[in-house]
Amino acid sequence: MNESENQLEGLLRGSCSRRKVYGRRATLIIFIGSILLGGCAQVETRPDPLEPFNRQMFAFNDAVDRAILKPVAKGYVKVLPAPVRTGVSNVFSNLRTPTTIINQFLQGKPVEGLRDITRFLVNSTVGILGIFDVASRSGLEKDVEDFGQTLAVWGVPAGPYLVVPFFGPSGFRDGAGDIAGLYTYPPTYADDEWVYALFATDFIQQRAQLLDAEKLISGDRYLFIRDAYLQRREALVRDGEADESDPFLDD
């Protein structure tokens, strides 16, 4: 077992122990952990009223991934050295911070919102547009908040699980939150010729960071990823605290 797999299994053990979701890890590492959360779940009992449609979309997305996205991600990793990829990841993580800041205040967490404002300013200046995560080294931990979480805090039900063509796991509430999030994501307002390049680079970077994690997926891929996504969203809404009454959590 290589070092990457050891790190990923360590994250799995931490997730199953209900350790806090937030910390100094990059946003994509959190997503990798969400995939590994499938090992804590009883996936067969998850409600999924749209499963026939979702499985078709999952198969479509999987085919696109195998034919295009995964080969591109492998080429990206092969061409760019790790320090460069880390810098790219840091930049896009920093660009998502305004979304987190807005949602901190919308959720009634002004202290966390002010801390994330400081984090954004430090990384955008001293960290040279976010290439270097200076804020984390200074003790300003990274938070992850989005409009889907805010809607949940406001009492909006999650709605059915939904697999979106090309974009993957989502839900009715989270889908609405993702649309709102586009308006607080700075690349959305870039000039037309740069928008597609920025979004494509961000997407490829995210896919590249999942190459090692997907090796640990076992059994029915659809069930594994579905349940991992649902548990991750539940944990994010609760700021990493598990709901002891949740019948789908396995002690």
Side-chain angles (χ1 to χ4, degrees):
M1 183 175 291
N2 59 37
E3 183 179 354
S4 296
E5 290 175 335
N6 285 332
Q7 293 175 346
L8 292 169
E9 287 199 342
L11 182 54
L12 170 59
R13 289 192 293 271
S15 299
C16 293
S17 301
R18 299 186 179 93
R19 292 168 60 184
K20 212 167 160 47
V21 172
Y22 305 116
R24 300 178 183 180
R25 298 179 184 274
T27 301
L28 264 296
I29 298 302
I30 295 175
F31 182 73
I32 291 173
S34 77
I35 288 183
L36 298 180
L37 274 169
C40 307
Q42 301 173 13
V43 293
E44 295 82 4
T45 60
R46 282 283 181 181
D48 189 359
L50 301 178
E51 183 171 349
F53 170 83
N54 285 337
R55 281 190 176 273
Q56 291 182 2
M57 291 302 100
F58 179 83
F60 170 78
N61 287 346
D62 202 38
V64 172
D65 180 70
R66 294 176 187 275
I68 302 174
L69 300 180
K70 188 173 182 179
V72 171
K74 286 184 174 180
Y76 175 83
V77 171
K78 186 175 182 180
V79 171
L80 294 182
V84 175
R85 299 198 307 272
T86 298
V88 173
S89 178
N90 288 344
V91 168
F92 285 109
S93 177
N94 190 56
L95 288 172
R96 290 186 177 90
T97 305
T99 299
T100 291
I101 293 170
I102 292 171
N103 283 283
Q104 295 281 31
F105 286 103
L106 290 175
Q107 293 175 30
K109 297 187 285 190
V111 174
E112 290 84 349
L114 291 172
R115 182 182 65 204
D116 287 320
I117 289 175
T118 303
R119 177 184 171 83
F120 180 69
L121 292 175
V122 169
N123 279 346
S124 298
T125 55
V126 182
I128 311 177
L129 300 179
I131 295 176
F132 304 101
D133 188 2
V134 179
S136 290
R137 300 174 198 166
S138 303
L140 294 170
E141 293 189 352
K142 176 181 175 58
D143 295 319
V144 179
E145 299 289 351
D146 57 45
F147 288 98
Q149 292 166 248
T150 296
L151 290 173
V153 171
W154 289 356
V156 178
Y161 174 70
L162 179 67
V163 179
V164 181
F166 299 106
F167 292 97
S170 187
F172 282 38
R173 181 182 65 201
D174 291 336
D178 289 341
I179 293 173
L182 287 174
Y183 294 96
T184 58
Y185 187 45
T188 303
Y189 301 97
D191 292 337
D192 290 344
E193 60 268 24
W194 287 100
V195 170
Y196 299 110
L198 287 170
F199 276 98
T201 302
D202 187 13
F203 198 77
I204 293 169
Q205 171 66 25
Q206 294 185 45
R207 184 62 185 89
Q209 290 196 338
L210 294 173
L211 290 174
D212 286 335
E214 65 179 342
K215 298 175 184 177
L216 301 180
I217 298 177
S218 61
D220 188 320
R221 287 173 57 86
Y222 170 79
L223 292 178
F224 195 106
I225 294 175
R226 177 199 69 184
D227 201 69
Y229 174 83
L230 292 175
Q231 285 200 49
R232 174 186 179 250
R233 294 305 299 175
E234 291 167 1
L236 287 173
V237 168
R238 299 186 182 93
D239 289 346
E241 298 297 329
D243 180 3
E244 297 297 335
S245 67
D246 188 345
F248 305 113
L249 287 178
D250 182 0
D251 290 339

